[in-house]
Amino acid sequence: MTSLDDAYQLLNRGDLAAAGAAFVALLRSASGPDRARALWGLGRVASGRAEDRDAARCFAECSQLLPGEPEPLIALGEALLQLREFDRAGIAFETALASQPRYAPAHYALGLYQLGRGEKKPAEQSFRRTLELQPDHCHALWSLARLHRFEPGDPLLADLELQLAKAGRTRDQMLLHYALGTARDALADYDSAFGHWQQANALQLASTTYRVEDMAGYFADLRSTFSAKTLALRAATIPDGPRPLFILGQPRSGSTLLEQMLSRHPAIESAGERRILGNQLARRLETMTGEAYPRGCRTLDSTQLGQLGQAYLEALPAAVQGAAVVIDKLPANFQSVGWIRMMLPQAVIVHLQRDARDTAFSIFRHYFSQTEPFFCGLRQIALYHRHYQDTMAFWREQLPGEVIEVEYAALTTAPERALRPILAAAGLDWHPALLAPERGTDFVATLSATQVREPITQRQGAWRNYQQHLGEWLALLPGTED
């Protein structure tokens, strides 16, 4: 039988299927600390596969087997956030902190939770307490920099620079460069800010295993797979459950604002950014057809499409299953518009787009925990943006009128006019609460958590302060003419 150490080696190599099978086998006979360790590993596998219910079950049992240990409780809280069980998540974080009040990661986890709930002051206090206990906690420094109002001679700025000089790990250096870019930008020191962001992007890009150039074949497969003949096929039955409403496009395009506005409607709940299509359903598609996405979609029949649509709805968190309409706002779902339309004919698909310069530059200046090339490096971001634009143009041609187009500028200047077509497609009446997203109480897990609880404001043009550095990059971006 595979040992626990062997199972963890599989996990650390990223072989989630083999690691999961090994941990399941070990759990049949494991007890005591070995059972807790196997549950911890299986929970990490489930998290990596976006199987949040299984992850929560594993971490809950692990925390029972290891009373007084904060780490399983923190992991449980994070899984519960994915399940939209916010109150239970808060209890898990508070319990982790109570078990070891001087454990810095517990303070940090609580701070992220408070920030997601819109509690900026308590979040800032939690991040500062984290740093009192662990001054080199670079995630806390980065998070605090997002909330802080920097002034000349700011002590936090000096602390960031000190920690950068001492940082040995690449991840720490990267986070500190992102934080210092934010600080220098706030002080209008644009040359220095750009330099820090450029270094952060370079460090993150160096840790990726492929480049956007390697994705050309994948996007070509998308276009060849979803022919008019393929797209004409629909699920045999409309799956039981809420009507999905997909918000897709690019990160930093205003999707969190749109989500918060729509979820103020009493008939709409948000499931956040779900990885269902790219994880559970992609695996099921490959099992059904023997081919990965997108090629596997060529041989699906209407019965299989109905099964996939039902599986999607069943994978949504139980906390939102009772709503008439449920939002899935994962931007990368722009790659799956045709597949969505085939298996979920009742879905509302909304493409939110923003000026390419604002979107792409905002990606460049923000840290994304997913280490993907299209989140780091000006050239990589621009090349991926071209793939995105070309893909959306393809869907418009193949599925005319099937996607609701919303411009960020229109959403922030004439929101009611922008929102009404979405509600009409979802079969819902207008509700005035949609115009006050800052009053919402939903948890916000994205980078927009520091902004979205403010009244509707148009944020555009930040890239203009950096024009002297952007040069050829602007020419790479499609549709950026003034």
Side-chain angles (χ1 to χ4, degrees):
M1 177 184 288
T2 303
S3 70
L4 271 169
D5 287 341
D6 291 337
Y8 270 98
Q9 286 183 13
L10 291 169
L11 174 61
N12 293 333
R13 287 205 301 265
D15 191 345
L16 298 184
F23 286 124
V24 168
L26 289 163
L27 281 170
R28 295 192 185 107
S29 58
S31 60
D34 282 349
R35 181 170 181 81
R37 192 172 172 218
L39 283 164
W40 176 255
L42 189 58
R44 287 177 58 193
V45 168
S47 292
R49 292 165 66 95
E51 295 166 349
D52 303 308
R53 294 170 195 161
D54 292 339
R57 283 194 290 268
C58 290
F59 293 138
E61 185 178 346
C62 186
S63 65
Q64 291 169 359
L65 291 170
L66 298 172
E69 290 292 329
E71 204 59 40
L73 287 163
I74 293 171
L76 173 60
E78 291 168 348
L80 290 170
L81 288 181
Q82 290 297 317
L83 294 172
R84 315 298 283 180
E85 297 185 28
F86 304 126
D87 291 341
R88 287 185 62 202
I91 292 170
F93 294 132
E94 293 280 7
T95 305
L97 189 56
S99 69
Q100 288 194 30
R102 296 187 59 80
Y103 187 60
H107 286 277
Y108 180 66
L110 180 61
L112 288 181
Y113 172 76
Q114 291 164 330
L115 182 58
R117 295 302 293 257
E119 301 166 358
K120 291 185 182 181
K121 274 293 183 186
E124 182 177 351
Q125 292 168 1
S126 292
F127 296 145
R128 290 190 181 281
R129 180 57 176 154
T130 303
L131 293 167
E132 288 174 10
L133 296 167
Q134 186 181 335
D136 64 349
H137 195 298
C138 293
H139 277 88
L141 284 163
W142 169 72
S143 296
L144 185 57
R146 293 167 59 203
L147 289 172
H148 190 69
R149 293 184 179 275
F150 285 94
E151 298 177 356
D154 201 301
L156 179 56
L157 179 61
D159 195 20
L160 289 170
E161 291 173 338
L162 173 65
Q163 293 301 330
L164 178 60
K166 295 164 54 177
R169 294 184 303 178
T170 299
R171 178 71 57 172
D172 290 346
Q173 294 172 16
M174 182 181 65
L175 284 163
L176 290 164
H177 277 302
Y178 275 117
L180 280 163
T182 297
R184 291 298 183 184
D185 177 76
L187 296 171
D189 185 355
Y190 299 126
D191 289 344
S192 179
F194 187 84
H196 282 296
W197 286 328
Q198 198 166 38
Q199 290 182 75
N201 275 252
L203 288 168
Q204 194 164 17
L205 182 60
S207 67
T208 65
T209 57
Y210 68 102
R211 295 293 182 268
V212 172
E213 289 88 340
D214 301 325
M215 302 178 72
Y218 166 78
F219 283 104
D221 276 351
L222 269 183
R223 293 189 291 274
S224 63
T225 293
F226 291 100
S227 63
K229 180 180 178 181
T230 301
L231 288 168
L233 192 63
R234 294 288 189 271
T237 56
I238 301 295
D240 294 329
R243 182 195 294 266
L245 192 161
F246 292 90
I247 301 173
L248 45 84
Q250 286 286 271
R252 309 302 299 162
S253 62
S255 60
T256 301
L257 173 62
L258 178 56
E259 172 206 33
Q260 292 298 298
M261 295 170 84
L262 289 171
S263 61
R264 291 280 286 150
H265 195 289
I268 301 177
E269 292 282 353
S270 178
E273 296 187 353
R274 310 311 303 177
R275 294 182 289 157
I276 299 170
L277 294 177
N279 282 271
Q280 294 101 308
L281 262 63
R283 293 195 296 271
R284 188 158 179 170
L285 173 69
E286 191 163 2
T287 299
M288 279 181 169
T289 67
E291 288 196 280
Y293 182 83
R295 294 189 178 191
C297 294
R298 297 174 182 176
T299 57
L300 289 170
D301 59 38
S302 59
T303 299
Q304 291 171 321
L305 285 167
Q307 292 169 350
L308 288 166
Q310 191 67 56
Y312 172 86
L313 294 180
E314 290 173 356
L316 292 171
V320 302
Q321 289 283 359
V325 176
V326 173
I327 297 169
D328 180 336
K329 66 170 289 289
L330 185 68
N333 283 335
F334 80 85
Q335 301 170 32
S336 304
V337 168
W339 193 24
I340 292 168
R341 183 53 72 217
M342 291 165 67
M343 64 182 166
L344 293 163
Q346 81 281 28
V348 178
I349 304 175
V350 180
H351 174 217
L352 179 63
Q353 52 187 325
R354 186 182 178 191
D355 184 293
R357 295 163 295 193
D358 286 311
T359 300
F361 187 69
S362 187
I363 293 170
F364 170 73
R365 63 189 286 188
H366 285 92
Y367 164 66
F368 290 81
S369 59
Q370 307 96 323
T371 303
E372 305 284 4
F374 41 82
F375 289 145
C376 41
L378 287 171
R379 177 178 173 80
Q380 295 293 298
I381 293 167
L383 291 176
Y384 187 72
H385 202 90
R386 283 189 171 273
H387 282 308
Y388 148 69
Q389 293 279 40
D390 291 345
T391 302
M392 290 311 304
F394 172 76
W395 296 130
R396 290 187 198 101
E397 180 182 343
Q398 295 294 91
L399 296 166
E402 299 261 3
V403 177
I404 299 171
E405 302 279 356
V406 176
E407 294 281 350
Y408 171 79
L411 182 66
T412 53
T413 57
E416 183 172 347
R417 188 185 308 166
L419 294 169
R420 278 189 178 276
I422 302 173
L423 295 181
L428 300 174
D429 294 328
W430 174 255
H431 197 286
L434 274 66
L435 299 181
E438 73 277 8
R439 298 179 189 172
T441 58
D442 275 3
F443 187 89
V444 179
T446 68
L447 289 167
S448 299
T450 59
Q451 302 169 338
V452 77
R453 299 189 190 280
E454 301 171 5
I456 299 170
T457 305
Q458 185 170 164
R459 295 181 173 87
Q460 300 212 81
W463 61 273
R464 295 184 186 278
N465 294 321
Y466 298 88
Q467 275 184 279
Q468 70 273 23
H469 297 288
L470 300 179
E472 295 179 4
W473 175 72
L474 287 173
L476 277 175
L477 283 171
T480 57
E481 299 81 8
D482 280 315

